Amino acid sequence: MRSIWNGAISFGLVSIPIKLVNATESHAVSFRQVHSEDNGRIRYRKVCELEDREVTQSEIGKAYEGADGEMIPITEDDLSHLPLPTARTIEIVAFVPAERIDPLQMDAAYYIAAAGAPAAKPYTLLREALKRSHKVAIAKFALRGRERLGMLRVVGDVIVLHGLLWPDEVRAPEGVAPDVDVTVRDQELDLADALMDTLGEVDLADLHDEYREALEEVIAAKAAGETPPETPAPAEGGKVLDLMAALEKSVRDARESRGGEGEAEVRNLHGRGTPKETGAKKSTATTGKAAAAAKKTASARKSTSKAGESKQGKQPAKSTSKAAAKKSTAKKAPAKKQTAKKAASGKRSA
């Protein structure tokens, strides 16, 4: 890969000769402006508006436009005298935890390569120090005529430089958040969590630019004199009237697309269901318990009736013997009474 900048990393008293290499590239399809009638290229010519003539690159300089429209010329000699110590140096000014960096500040990324064998040792030292500390380095550097802020971090065995916007270049999000009071229910959060879990993680290497691929197919077809393939129109976005229904459908669609059972999964969101589904589960569980209890009671009654029948079969013999005993006792009782009466009358006569 071709380097775009040569210089050094200043790490205290350590200087590491390095080269910068673009870490990213754009695959966007670009177009040329043409004359619609004959496809002639539309080109921009650099014309001096005072002389109304085209000028060459050697005749073009720099100027700052003042508030009143006055042009203040700035020469290369003026720029060369500016105090810019980072002109050929990436000067590390601090080491901070990575979470201190706001992603809003992230800009272009560059791979840092060691420039030659002598740079290998200090380069490796800095890389390993960053790894062990779990920190990133904040640095200042100059690129394309201006001083920039940067962050150095380790990716694999390479140190990467991320350009950062200056803090005052990040706008405050005033007036962006909704200015109305909104209440989000727990059930809605549960469904949102379920949708997030369903979508889960993804290998970023599997993601691709479908628009660019479709555009390339159109270009290839027209270049071959063929009719461009028709692509399905995107679904029209509408107003969400029922947030819960939209979330439930999103969970079902996401899980079905990943080979899961959407309905069953929606009913079991992290062990929780929607209010209606939870009530259905409870009533189903209660019905099941009631059926089991009824079955148990019926079985107990059946065994009780059988035991009663066997007892009734033996009872007549017992009741007959008891009746006979009562009868004999009844017969004996009058005889005793008569004997007692006779003894009492004998005593009186004596």
Side-chain angles (χ1 to χ4, degrees):
M1 291 186 284
R2 186 174 63 86
S3 64
I4 62 168
W5 186 91
N6 296 333
I9 295 176
S10 174
F11 176 33
L13 297 178
V14 178
S15 181
I16 311 170
I18 57 99
K19 297 179 180 180
L20 282 189
V21 177
N22 279 322
T24 62
E25 60 185 1
S26 174
H27 291 161
V29 177
S30 59
F31 296 99
R32 301 291 189 184
Q33 288 187 330
V34 297
H35 187 199
S36 299
E37 292 184 3
D38 54 15
N39 287 338
R41 281 281 305 277
I42 302 298
R43 297 182 182 274
Y44 292 97
R45 291 186 169 91
K46 296 178 179 180
V47 176
C48 174
E49 63 181 18
L50 295 179
E51 298 181 12
D52 194 21
R53 69 176 182 86
E54 186 176 355
V55 297
T56 63
Q57 184 62 37
S58 61
E59 296 177 272
I60 298 174
K62 292 183 176 71
Y64 176 80
E65 184 174 3
D68 57 355
E70 181 188 1
M71 293 297 174
I72 304 169
I74 302 294
T75 66
E76 291 298 327
D77 187 56
D78 295 331
L79 297 175
S80 65
H81 288 87
L82 288 176
L84 192 60
T86 56
R88 284 293 166 188
T89 304
I90 298 175
E91 181 185 353
I92 295 177
V93 295
F95 292 89
V96 300
E99 56 268 21
R100 285 270 304 276
I101 305 303
D102 188 341
L104 283 173
Q105 290 183 256
M106 303 288 282
D107 201 358
Y110 309 92
Y111 290 133
I112 297 178
K121 181 66 180 286
Y123 182 98
T124 305
L125 171 65
L126 177 58
R127 183 190 67 198
E128 295 305 311
L130 288 171
K131 277 185 181 180
R132 192 167 72 171
S133 67
H134 301 290
K135 293 183 177 181
V136 296
I138 301 301
K140 295 168 72 176
F141 67 104
L143 184 64
R144 298 189 177 98
R146 60 183 289 250
E147 187 171 58
R148 301 167 185 258
L149 189 64
M151 175 187 75
L152 279 68
R153 70 184 184 99
V154 178
V155 177
D157 292 330
V158 177
I159 300 174
V160 177
L161 169 66
H162 289 274
L164 298 178
L165 298 176
W166 295 98
D168 60 358
E169 292 180 317
V170 179
R171 300 172 65 184
E174 295 177 358
V176 177
D179 58 354
V180 295
D181 292 333
V182 177
T183 301
V184 178
R185 295 180 293 164
D186 289 341
Q187 294 90 341
E188 293 167 339
L189 283 173
D190 290 342
L191 282 167
D193 287 342
L195 180 57
M196 290 166 65
D197 289 343
T198 302
L199 296 176
E201 297 184 1
V202 67
D203 185 354
L204 295 180
D206 294 336
L207 301 180
H208 56 278
D209 187 347
E210 296 180 15
Y211 176 82
R212 178 173 59 85
E213 291 176 355
L215 183 57
E216 288 173 347
E217 289 180 5
V218 170
I219 293 172
K222 297 205 73 171
E226 302 172 356
T227 304
E230 292 186 5
T231 55
E236 292 184 3
K239 185 178 180 181
V240 178
L241 299 178
D242 188 341
L243 183 58
M244 288 290 288
L247 284 168
E248 288 175 359
K249 187 176 186 309
S250 298
V251 172
R252 279 194 294 270
D253 292 348
R255 283 177 175 155
E256 286 171 1
S257 68
R258 293 178 181 239
E261 297 180 2
E263 291 290 342
E265 293 290 344
V266 169
R267 293 195 192 98
N268 186 21
L269 303 176
H270 302 287
R272 304 182 295 273
T274 59
K276 291 182 181 178
E277 292 165 343
T278 305
K281 284 183 181 179
K282 287 182 179 177
S283 62
T284 305
T286 306
T287 306
K289 288 179 181 178
K295 190 174 180 182
K296 191 174 181 181
T297 305
S299 176
R301 284 179 181 170
K302 192 172 181 182
S303 58
T304 305
S305 64
K306 284 184 179 180
E309 286 176 5
S310 76
K311 283 182 182 178
Q312 285 175 5
K314 293 179 181 179
Q315 188 130 8
K318 283 186 179 181
S319 35
T320 304
S321 60
K322 283 182 181 179
K326 284 182 181 179
K327 195 172 181 183
S328 62
T329 304
K331 286 181 180 178
K332 288 179 181 179
K336 286 182 179 180
K337 286 180 180 178
Q338 289 174 1
T339 306
K341 283 181 180 179
K342 286 182 181 179
S345 62
K347 285 181 180 178
R348 284 173 192 158
S349 58

